[in-house]
Amino acid sequence: MTAGAHATSPQPSGDRAFFGHPRGLKTLFFTEMWERFSYYGMRAILVLFMTAAVVDGGLGFSKADAAIVYGLYTSMVWLLPLVGGWLADNFLGMRRAVLYGGIVIMTGHILLAFHGTTAFYSGLACIVLGTGLLKPNISAIVGQLYSEEDKRRDSGFSIFYMGINLGAVSSPLVCGWLAQHDGFKSMLVSWGLDPADSWHWGFAAAAVGMFFGLLQYVVTAKQLGEAGLVPAGATTPEARARARRTLSVVVRWLLGLAAVVLALVLLRSQPMVASLMSGVFGEGGITKSHVDTAYTWVLFGAVGAFFAWLFSNRSWTPNERRRLIVIAGLFVGSCVFWSVFEQAGSTLTFFAEERTVQTIFGVEFKSSWWQSVNGGLIVLLAPVFAWLWARWGDFDRSSAIRFAIGILFAGLGFAVLIGGAQASEGGARASAMWLFTVYLCHTIGELCLSPVGLSSMTKFAPARVQGLMLGVWFASIAVGTFLGSKVAGVYETYDLSTLFLVVASGAAVMALIMALLSRPMTRLVDESA
């Protein structure tokens, strides 16, 4: 079998060992379940840890600064898959990329279990790098389990998505209990330990979850057959040489940038350099706001440059180019959806902590636990949506209508929360039903858009760049989460009813645009068939 065949050869259509799907889906299902356990468990307590007072074990950041760090972190988590997909396509292969990524992610969570801002930022950096390797490639391997004509594909991605959310529903409960609950803090006191360290126990639990994911992946990897074994984008000596040259240039630029940053850090203590930096950046030197501004230029510049390169590449066939236009349209819709949805870890967490009742049916309910609601609803509803997509088949061949529905429901969630904002004015706390309804709307929107989006990327992408195109999908989440962090950054500045109305209106406009684009996008898909 040729190298190219390794990249595209699906498992036999008669393989129905895992709920009617290929047995390899089971391996990926549980690997991703544990990886998402680690990610969402940590995310549930991240902004709470940053904004908690230093005496309470936190970092003492303002909400605005915490939103900047959260936005940078979550955006880079979803942007680095562009690099991870390219590395897998040209050097590592998808299977090794998933393994190496999981190891680096686990290392990041271990670092977060230690004290100090150095360990904190180093841990976040490791999680960013590891997720960049793992996330696009595990999803691309799912796509390789099916032929393009296999109608189980969308259903398979919905089942895979349910695995993701089994991890997401349990981890905020576990990590949140360890980090926030008075019962666990009392246990620490009884052990002679500082209860302010409870945050780090929550981060450590995320590391344990990633360890179980790695163990499961290694033990059951043989169920994947040949999927993801060979780099699909560098199957000739010329292609491999081009990839090595590209990597060499990128590495040299990164090393040069790192050297400049290190020099500035070391020289900052020198009076002349400190004076110059104060003149450029203000008395506080380089602040989180400066980093945020720089990253804004880098993010949108990188995304713009990538799409310019993509469409200027002359190697695409006319059919491939038409499919890439569809992918670009879905990219824009996805950016808007995730800018609304990914505020769960920032805006909605602040609202849960400060404006929502802390008890449900007389039982204490911590703010971090709210992030389990979305995962729980997906576990309940994913089988229903998997059945719907399998039954309806190709009713929406471009996926644009399903994107429109997803974006509309995301906006509807914030429209509902306008009532919650009004109910919590004047120091009152809103009923938990407001937030529950928001999460229900967002879950329906997510099930309409996210698994279908993953499936569409693997279906429309040229075979030799499937890992890279999955990176494009995650880059849309990077842009969306970064835009969403801007909303969290002005949480204390604007009236919440007005803020939520703006978010809901923007989503409604984008949903209308996607609906109008559905017919021309479907025509492009049909012409490229």
Side-chain angles (χ1 to χ4, degrees), residues 485-509:
S485 72
K486 300 301 182 184
V487 178
V490 297
Y491 180 88
E492 293 180 313
T493 306
Y494 292 95
D495 173 70
L496 288 189
S497 298
T498 303
L499 188 63
F500 296 160
L501 177 60
V502 170
V503 173
S505 300
V509 170

Side-chain angles (χ1 to χ4, degrees), residues 18 23-35 98-99 138 160 208-224:
F18 186 62
R23 68 183 69 248
L25 185 61
K26 178 181 178 182
T27 296
L28 304 175
F29 178 98
F30 286 107
T31 302
E32 184 72 337
M33 181 191 78
W34 283 113
E35 187 273 330
V98 170
L99 176 62
I138 194 169
F160 177 69
V208 173
M210 191 65 252
F211 169 77
F212 284 130
L214 285 168
L215 181 64
Q216 189 277 150
Y217 180 73
V218 171
V219 170
T220 66
K222 63 182 180 181
Q223 296 182 357
L224 296 172

Side-chain angles (χ1 to χ4, degrees), residues 454-478:
L454 281 171
S455 176
S456 297
M457 290 295 169
T458 63
K459 183 166 55 179
F460 298 147
R464 64 184 184 275
V465 291
Q466 277 205 354
L468 183 64
M469 288 300 103
L470 263 295
V472 170
W473 169 252
F474 293 118
S476 72
I477 306 178

Side-chain angles (χ1 to χ4, degrees), residues 67-68 70-72 74-75 292 299-300 334-348 350 414 476-491 499-500 503:
I68 288 174
Y70 178 83
L72 291 171
T74 53
S75 178
D292 182 58
L299 174 63
F300 289 98
S334 177
C335 288
V336 174
F337 174 82
W338 295 110
S339 71
V340 179
F341 180 89
E342 280 293 333
Q343 291 182 53
S346 53
T347 306
L348 298 185
F350 291 147
F414 270 89
S476 72
I477 306 178
V479 174
T481 55
F482 187 69
L483 292 174
S485 72
K486 300 301 182 184
V487 178
V490 297
Y491 180 88
L499 188 63
F500 296 160
V503 173

Side-chain angles (χ1 to χ4, degrees), residues 42-277:
M42 183 276 284
R43 194 189 76 163
I45 61 176
L46 183 58
V47 296
L48 298 171
F49 169 66
M50 287 191 285
T51 55
V54 174
V55 294
D56 294 326
L59 295 180
F61 289 179
S62 67
K63 285 187 177 63
D65 280 348
I68 288 174
V69 174
Y70 178 83
L72 291 171
Y73 160 68
T74 53
S75 178
M76 286 189 287
V77 157
W78 297 112
L79 184 63
L80 264 289
L82 266 175
V83 180
W86 183 83
L87 288 173
D89 284 339
N90 292 280
F91 295 101
L92 299 175
M94 295 173 185
R95 295 264 282 273
R96 283 195 294 272
V98 170
L99 176 62
Y100 299 160
I103 293 171
V104 177
I105 289 170
M106 183 177 67
T107 302
H109 289 300
I110 291 172
L111 286 170
L112 290 176
F114 290 91
H115 290 276
T117 54
T118 300
F120 176 72
Y121 288 121
S122 298
L124 293 184
C126 283
I127 297 170
V128 165
L129 293 172
T131 305
L133 282 173
L134 183 147
K135 194 65 179 164
N137 295 300
I138 194 169
S139 299
I141 297 172
V142 173
Q144 290 187 6
L145 299 179
Y146 304 90
S147 67
E148 189 173 316
E149 297 76 24
D150 194 334
K151 290 189 176 182
R152 298 179 299 167
R153 174 186 287 264
D154 283 359
S155 175
F157 269 97
S158 290
I159 292 174
F160 177 69
Y161 215 70
M162 185 168 64
I164 291 174
N165 286 280
L166 282 173
V169 68
S170 56
S171 56
L173 298 176
V174 174
C175 297
W177 184 79
L178 292 170
Q180 286 188 290
H181 203 278
D182 291 337
F184 181 69
K185 291 182 179 182
S186 297
M187 291 172 62
L188 291 178
V189 172
S190 68
W191 297 340
L193 300 175
D194 187 351
D197 291 341
S198 61
W199 299 105
H200 301 286
W201 287 78
F203 293 132
V208 173
M210 191 65 252
F211 169 77
F212 284 130
L214 285 168
L215 181 64
Q216 189 277 150
Y217 180 73
V218 171
V219 170
T220 66
K222 63 182 180 181
Q223 296 182 357
L224 296 172
E226 297 176 341
L229 276 176
V230 177
T235 56
T236 65
E238 295 79 9
R240 287 192 289 271
R242 283 197 303 270
R244 284 194 295 270
R245 287 195 297 270
T246 302
L247 183 62
S248 176
V249 171
V250 172
V251 168
R252 286 198 296 270
W253 275 96
L254 289 176
L255 288 175
L257 179 62
V260 171
V261 172
L262 180 61
L264 286 174
V265 171
L266 293 176
L267 292 172
R268 189 178 179 185
S269 60
Q270 302 300 315
M272 185 171 65
V273 176
S275 176
L276 177 63
M277 293 176 68

Side-chain angles (χ1 to χ4, degrees), residues 263-452:
L264 286 174
V265 171
L266 293 176
L267 292 172
R268 189 178 179 185
S269 60
Q270 302 300 315
M272 185 171 65
V273 176
S275 176
L276 177 63
M277 293 176 68
S278 296
V280 175
F281 298 106
E283 290 299 322
I286 299 176
T287 66
K288 294 181 180 66
S289 180
H290 292 131
V291 175
D292 182 58
T293 301
Y295 181 75
T296 302
W297 285 99
V298 170
L299 174 63
F300 289 98
V303 171
F306 172 80
F307 276 102
W309 166 81
L310 191 67
F311 285 102
S312 64
N313 192 324
R314 297 182 179 180
S315 67
W316 307 121
T317 67
N319 286 346
E320 287 175 335
R321 192 172 294 277
R322 280 189 283 269
R323 289 185 170 214
L324 290 175
I325 293 172
V326 174
I327 286 175
L330 297 180
F331 176 91
V332 175
S334 177
C335 288
V336 174
F337 174 82
W338 295 110
S339 71
V340 179
F341 180 89
E342 280 293 333
Q343 291 182 53
S346 53
T347 306
L348 298 185
T349 295
F350 291 147
F351 191 87
E353 176 73 8
E354 299 175 351
R355 294 203 173 209
T356 304
V357 295
Q358 298 288 306
T359 58
I360 297 179
F361 300 120
V363 178
E364 183 180 14
F365 197 87
K366 291 295 184 181
S367 54
S368 58
W369 292 357
W370 275 103
Q371 292 186 54
S372 288
V373 174
N374 170 249
L377 289 170
I378 284 183
V379 171
L380 293 174
L381 297 177
V384 177
F385 278 81
W387 175 81
L388 285 174
W389 302 147
R391 182 176 179 85
W392 290 347
D394 292 335
F395 87 99
D396 175 25
R397 291 184 296 280
S398 71
S399 302
I401 288 294
R402 281 180 271 196
F403 269 53
I405 296 171
I407 296 167
L408 183 63
F409 270 95
L412 181 61
F414 270 89
V416 167
L417 200 56
I418 295 172
Q422 294 172 345
S424 61
E425 290 177 351
R429 286 186 175 265
S431 165
M433 287 304 298
W434 291 108
L435 266 183
F436 178 81
T437 305
V438 172
Y439 278 107
L440 177 60
C441 291
H442 284 189
T443 299
I444 293 172
E446 184 181 7
L447 285 168
C448 288
L449 182 142
S450 190
V452 173

